[in-house]
Amino acid sequence: MSNPVQIKNALISVYYKDNLEPIIHELNRLGVTIYSTGGTETFIRNLGVDVVAVEDLTSYPSILGGRVKTLHPKVFGGILARRSFESDEQQLAQYQIPELDLVIVDLYPFEETVQSGAGQEDVIEKIDIGGISLIRAAAKNFKDVVIVASKDDYGTLENILKTQDGQTNIDQRRAFARNAFNISSHYDTAIFNYFNEEEPLPVLKQSIQSSQVLRYGENPHQQGTFYGNLDAMFTKLHGKELSYNNLVDVDAAVALIDEFTEPTIAILKHTNACGVASRSFIKEAWIDALACDPVSAFGGVIIANEEIDAATAEEISKIFYEVLIAPAYTDEAVSILQSKKNRIILVRQRTELPVKQFKTLLNGVIEQDKDSVIEGPEQMNAVTNRKPTEQELKDLYFANKIVKHTKSNTIVFAKNNQLMASGVGQTSRVDSLRQAVLKANSFGFDLNGAVMASDAFFPFPDCVELAAEAGITAVLQPGGSIKDQDSIDMANQKDISMVTTGVRHFKH
């Protein structure tokens, strides 16, 4: 065993006592002297195990309402002393400081207190001082000291005590130290972000403790990892693990479906909607969403904002899809859907989603607010002689929700709360429009009376002209081009209505 250290003395001071009892009994079996404070000291005594109060070691009581308990040279000296330094050992003897070979300490629940909505005074009191100092000191001196900073490591420590009789090697102590610094850095990040909410410094600090290794990244030769807690957002009822590409599509699907309140189903492929419909019943929404583009729907991600019943499940099961997401399923629907191997069935839980977006770029990271704006009829400014009808305004609103979540350059055709076609990710808006017309025609849609939404302004009137020739009767665009009037004039010439919103929805 490399650089073995025998645990002779331990300091234990924890907020959470879960699963601590077996460790106390193992330390007692090994004859380890235990030092402790406050509630932990009482907990150990109640187990019938001898314990030395830290204040008996330091000759100072806990003061300032418990704010100062362990901050003392007799504690930190025993942790930080380098066993290989003769001068350090001499000073320990001179000042009667015991070598502390094991430190078990956790931190006040700062994040939990913030999330509970507690007032500032309560939050501030949950900023740990002694605990964080003990963790850093013990982790720094990992060559001689074992630091356990989380109950998640209790099982590992208990196994070492049982199988190695309290003797640790350098690799084990380094691993404990790594875990401890992870906890301390996460804790400090949470505190900084709390203080950085008002008049924030332009600093990016993120710390996510949970992660999931993915089968691979965007392609099989790329590694992939998801950082976050998927279990808090989804309950998986069936299927294989979500892949990198699944997650990207699921993210886009969730963002899109949250725009709708009426029963709606959306089908996405490569983050773009290839089918969306809102209807009175979810089965009708599925049938009309699939009709938008049944070819692209193959292997897509399906999301609903209403419970999936058996009848809808029967229809959905007729095609191959990768992921199905809904807030609930009937028992019969689950049985039907689970008959298809590997298809991923998720129940979505309502969780608070981030309001910021991050992306690695060049040698850094870019950040932006999420696009949380959506313009309804009240924000639509009619700029043509012909004004949109009430139904056209509803359809323009529907189309605008979809165009917001589609790759630029994009054009969306819609009618009666149904996506009819879209032109996606083209390098010119005219190409996007032509693509949308071809797709609508190929699936038998009649564009007469349909509406069109564009994610950005028209630099030339050609898009308006082509749309009118295809049967479009109302157009939505943000406006803002120096040639806006040309497009308005073309709309007037073709006797179609146009509204501007003043808000662009680029999506790269």
Side-chain angles (χ1 to χ4, degrees):
M1 188 179 290
S2 64
N3 300 99
V5 170
Q6 183 69 42
I7 297 172
K8 304 178 294 297
N9 301 299
L11 171 66
I12 306 176
S13 180
V14 294
Y15 188 88
Y16 296 106
K17 314 298 189 297
D18 315 39
N19 302 318
L20 183 62
E21 182 177 347
I23 291 174
I24 300 299
H25 288 307
E26 281 301 313
L27 293 173
N28 185 51
R29 177 182 70 82
L30 295 169
V32 174
T33 301
I34 301 174
Y35 298 87
S36 191
T37 64
T40 309
E41 179 190 344
T42 301
F43 175 82
I44 295 171
R45 289 191 193 282
N46 288 340
L47 295 176
V49 175
D50 290 338
V51 58
V52 179
V54 166
E55 56 191 57
D56 292 340
L57 171 65
T58 64
S59 300
Y60 272 88
S62 172
I63 62 173
L64 306 181
R67 280 190 165 197
V68 180
K69 295 191 288 281
T70 56
L71 295 168
H72 192 279
K74 280 204 170 183
V75 174
F76 282 86
I79 295 171
L80 287 166
R82 293 156 293 189
R83 291 8 174 207
S84 60
F85 279 43
E86 186 177 346
S87 59
D88 285 10
E89 290 294 300
Q90 289 173 349
Q91 288 186 321
L92 291 182
Q94 179 183 355
Y95 296 109
Q96 298 181 315
I97 300 173
E99 293 179 343
L100 295 173
D101 316 294
L102 169 65
V103 175
I104 304 176
V105 62
D106 59 13
L107 299 168
Y108 292 152
F110 177 83
E111 288 181 281
E112 292 89 338
T113 305
V114 172
Q115 291 166 2
S116 73
Q120 187 180 77
E121 185 174 338
D122 290 334
V123 171
I124 297 303
E125 285 307 308
K126 290 299 186 290
I127 298 177
D128 208 313
I129 303 301
I132 202 81
S133 301
L134 291 168
I135 289 171
R136 290 179 65 83
K140 175 178 179 176
N141 202 26
F142 71 90
K143 289 184 177 179
D144 300 306
V145 179
V146 176
I147 171 63
V148 175
S150 167
K151 58 186 177 183
D152 293 340
D153 282 339
Y154 284 1
T156 303
L157 175 63
E158 184 183 352
N159 183 62
I160 289 172
L161 295 174
K162 286 180 176 179
T163 62
Q164 297 173 200
D165 285 333
Q167 192 174 78
T168 62
N169 62 48
I170 188 66
D171 292 335
Q172 291 167 334
R173 295 192 297 277
R174 181 187 289 275
F176 279 124
R178 176 203 59 199
N179 294 350
F181 280 127
N182 176 42
I183 288 167
S184 66
S185 65
H186 177 82
Y187 195 75
D188 283 340
T189 295
I191 294 170
F192 169 78
N193 286 333
Y194 174 79
F195 279 92
N196 202 43
E197 289 178 351
E198 297 181 14
E199 300 182 12
L201 296 173
V203 174
L204 174 63
K205 289 185 185 291
Q206 291 289 314
S207 178
I208 302 174
Q209 293 287 67
S210 55
S211 65
Q212 178 178 325
V213 177
L214 306 173
R215 294 196 300 274
Y216 50 81
E218 201 163 9
N219 298 291
H221 61 275
Q222 296 169 269
Q223 292 185 339
T225 305
F226 173 78
Y227 294 96
N229 184 6
L230 283 175
D231 291 338
M233 189 158 185
F234 300 111
T235 300
K236 190 176 74 171
L237 302 181
H238 184 66
K240 57 189 176 182
E241 294 301 319
L242 288 161
S243 69
Y244 181 100
N245 292 332
N246 289 156
L247 288 170
V248 174
D249 283 332
V250 166
D251 175 69
V254 167
L256 174 59
I257 203 69
D258 283 351
E259 301 284 359
F260 299 91
T261 54
E262 58 274 37
T264 302
I265 284 187
I267 309 167
L268 288 88
K269 196 74 169 290
H270 304 310
T271 75
N272 294 304
C274 56
V276 186
S278 297
R279 294 292 182 260
S280 298
F281 301 100
I282 205 69
K283 179 182 174 182
E284 295 173 353
W286 164 251
I287 291 170
D288 288 343
L290 179 61
C292 299
D293 186 348
V295 175
S296 295
F298 182 87
V301 169
I302 304 166
I303 190 164
N305 62 359
E306 295 275 339
E307 181 182 67
I308 300 293
D309 56 23
T312 308
E314 288 281 9
E315 292 297 323
I316 291 174
S317 292
K318 292 177 181 178
I319 75 160
F320 170 73
Y321 58 88
E322 285 276 353
V323 185
L324 174 61
I325 310 162
Y329 304 83
T330 65
D331 291 343
E332 191 177 353
V334 172
S335 297
I336 293 166
L337 295 167
Q338 286 181 334
S339 66
K340 302 294 185 179
K341 185 180 179 182
N342 289 331
R343 296 182 190 179
I344 302 168
I345 313 298
L346 302 176
V347 179
R348 182 184 174 187
Q349 315 295 335
R350 278 292 169 182
T351 53
E352 187 175 345
L353 297 174
V355 296
K356 297 283 187 180
Q357 293 176 315
F358 305 93
K359 184 178 182 179
T360 58
L361 188 147
L362 300 175
N363 62 343
V365 175
I366 52 175
E367 174 201 80
Q368 68 170 354
D369 298 331
K370 277 191 174 179
D371 185 357
S372 60
V373 174
I374 187 64
E375 312 78 54
E378 298 80 8
Q379 291 79 43
M380 296 178 190
N381 178 37
V383 294
T384 48
N385 297 331
R386 180 184 179 279
K387 307 306 178 188
T389 65
E390 184 177 347
Q391 183 59 49
E392 285 172 339
L393 284 172
K394 290 179 180 178
D395 286 339
L396 287 170
Y397 185 31
F398 180 87
N400 199 31
K401 293 176 181 180
I402 299 171
V403 88
K404 169 184 168 182
H405 294 278
T406 308
K407 293 285 187 184
S408 301
N409 288 316
T410 182
I411 292 290
V412 166
F413 295 151
K415 183 164 63 174
N416 297 328
N417 284 341
Q418 180 184 23
L419 172 64
M420 305 192 80
S422 60
V424 177
Q426 300 302 305
T427 51
S428 91
R429 201 161 301 281
V430 173
D431 285 344
S432 291
L433 192 148
R434 286 174 175 153
Q435 182 190 64
V437 171
L438 285 171
K439 294 202 79 169
N441 291 337
S442 69
F443 294 115
F445 284 107
D446 180 5
L447 291 177
N448 286 295
V451 304
M452 176 177 82
S454 172
D455 62 325
F457 62 62
F458 301 118
F460 305 103
D462 46 5
C463 280
V464 179
E465 182 177 14
L466 290 170
E469 291 172 357
I472 299 298
T473 57
V475 175
L476 176 146
Q477 57 135 331
S481 168
I482 60 174
K483 294 186 177 182
D484 269 351
Q485 193 59 48
D486 291 350
S487 294
I488 296 169
D489 290 343
M490 179 58 69
N492 284 327
Q493 181 182 328
K494 297 293 184 179
D495 193 30
I496 66 175
S497 62
M498 178 183 289
V499 299
T500 59
T501 62
V503 179
R504 186 184 73 188
H505 289 294
F506 270 166
K507 189 170 185 288
H508 291 103

